[in-house]
Every structure is written in structure tokens, then in C-alpha cells.
Amino acid sequence: MRLGVIDVGSNTVHLLVVDAHRGAQPLPATSHKIELRLAEHVLDDGRVRDSGTERLTRFVAECLEVADEQGVEETLAFATSAIREAPNGEEVLTHVRERTGVELRVLSGEDESRLTFLAARRWAGWSAGKLLVLDIGGGSLEVAVGTDEDPDVALSFLLGAGRVTRELLGGDPPSPAEVRAARKAVRAELARHIRPLAKAGAPDRVVGTSKTMRSLARIAGAAPSAEGPYVSRVLTLEDVTRTIATITPMTSAQRTGLPGVSASRAHQLLGGAVVAEAAMGLLGVDSLQICPWALREGVILRYLDHLDT
């Protein structure tokens, strides 16, 4: 069947159309997205502005039109941190539903972590053994570990690349003092909550997902996306620390000259690198492999698993 998945994230609203059935690899057919940066349409009290709600609603309606044109039989729609953390999140969901008919499902942080883990497990396979998955989004960081398709531990932290940038790295470029303080704050927040991950034991393989991880790997010399998803791409802790040193004095505009860095994500690249460094360092990860599947694929796989059951 042809499925459409509308993913409302902190940075991007993304429609992915795939051809899929149970037991088969979902094959992307088309993609349609906008850099909405919903997290930037937020008032001081955390509520989403009316302007952000209207833009989101218009684009969801546009996604439905594209889905119809592509022959989509079923559309799945979900939202993550930006809506989950907003005090008026229910109002935003109601507005989208009344105007478009789309029921956006808000995933909890733990759900997000578990679904991303499922996608990474299917991609890596059983031979990966105990798997540790790190996913850096715009609003949150998800970490999960386990030996099965459902992780033994699944955690979510309010440490997304965009959030860290907004709250801790205000300058463009930020001062060295800001960067030092951000590194300290992120490490401290993670250290307070990672005991369950440490108790789970050392993983056999570590993978990283998300645009942030892919960009950091690309800067470090990994193959470009044009070479396809099956090329091995590796990111080391040393790579991340080196990249932080390189990009700290750069403005957002200057970062766009780096390989794999888009203009829309350049401003939060340093924040994402700070989170990656802290997570890898505290969890004893010297290197990880980049996994091209993440939350969207996890949502698709979970849906297919429950067909005809």
C-alpha cells in the first residue's frame, strides 16, 4: 500500500510518501517539506503563536493535496516536542483538525525514543546485538538501548539542537564563554538522568540518527547523501569535538559553506554538536554509525506491524 506520513517537528513539517507492506522495506516515493521552525513561533510562556498555528494548518492542508496527487491510501500524522511542550498544544491540534480533518497524534518523548529505536533496530538487524541509539532533534534528544525491537531503556531529554541554541547559545557567533557554559549545562543535565542507561550495560553497536548527526558526519568526511543510504558513515567523538572548535567562531552564514550544512539548520549546528559531544562522552561512545532511518520510519513500521492483527 502507499502510505503518507506527516511529521510535525520542531524544525520541519515533512510529508513522506512510501510504498510499503508488512515484512518489506518501506520504499520512499516522494517527499514534501517546509522549514516551518515551529519552535520559533513561540511566546515567552511557551504557547505557539497564532501565526505558527496558521502556517502549520496551511501546510498540513497542502500535504493532504500532495498525498492525494500521489495516490496515498492512508495518512499517518504525528507531532513531537514543539507541540508536546506547548501549553496551548491542544488548541493547536484542534485548529488543525477542524480546518483539515487531520488528527495529529502527539508522541510522548518515550514513544519517540521507542519508535526511533525500532527503526534503527530494523535497519541494523539482529546481528547488531545490544543496540544504543542516539537521536538529536530540534526540541529533544532521544536515547534508547536494548537487545530486542522494544528497547530496555528509552529516555527523552529537553536537549534538542534548536532548544540548546535558543536557550544557551544566543550569539552569532556565541562567545567562547557561552559555549563553555552550554557544554557544562548539557553535560550536567544528561548526567543527572543517564543512570538507567549505564545500568543497561555496554552496547555492541551504537548508531546515531537525525539531520544533526548526518551533518556532523558529513563535515568529518562521510559520504554525501547522493551516494545512497547503504554507504557506511561513521562519526567519532573526536570528530565532534574538533567540529565544535572549528565552528565556534563561525557565524551561521559561514557555517553554510561546510559540507552537508543547509542554511536552514546552520544556526543550530553548534548546539547539536554540543549535545552530541555530551551524550557520546558520558555514555562512553568513541564512535557511532549513522542510521538513515529514524522516527518517521518507526511510525511506518509500527503501523505495518499492526495491520490485520
Side-chain angles (χ1 to χ4, degrees), residues 186-192 194 237 277-285:
V186 170
R187 284 196 301 268
E189 176 62 19
L190 281 173
R192 278 194 290 270
I194 64 169
L237 178 56
E277 181 189 50
M280 293 175 73
L282 287 171
L283 293 169
V285 175

Side-chain angles (χ1 to χ4, degrees), residues 24-42:
Q25 175 182 336
L27 297 176
T30 191
S31 176
H32 184 61
K33 63 183 177 180
I34 183 174
E35 296 287 345
L36 182 58
R37 295 188 188 175
L38 191 59
E40 296 181 8
H41 291 269
V42 170

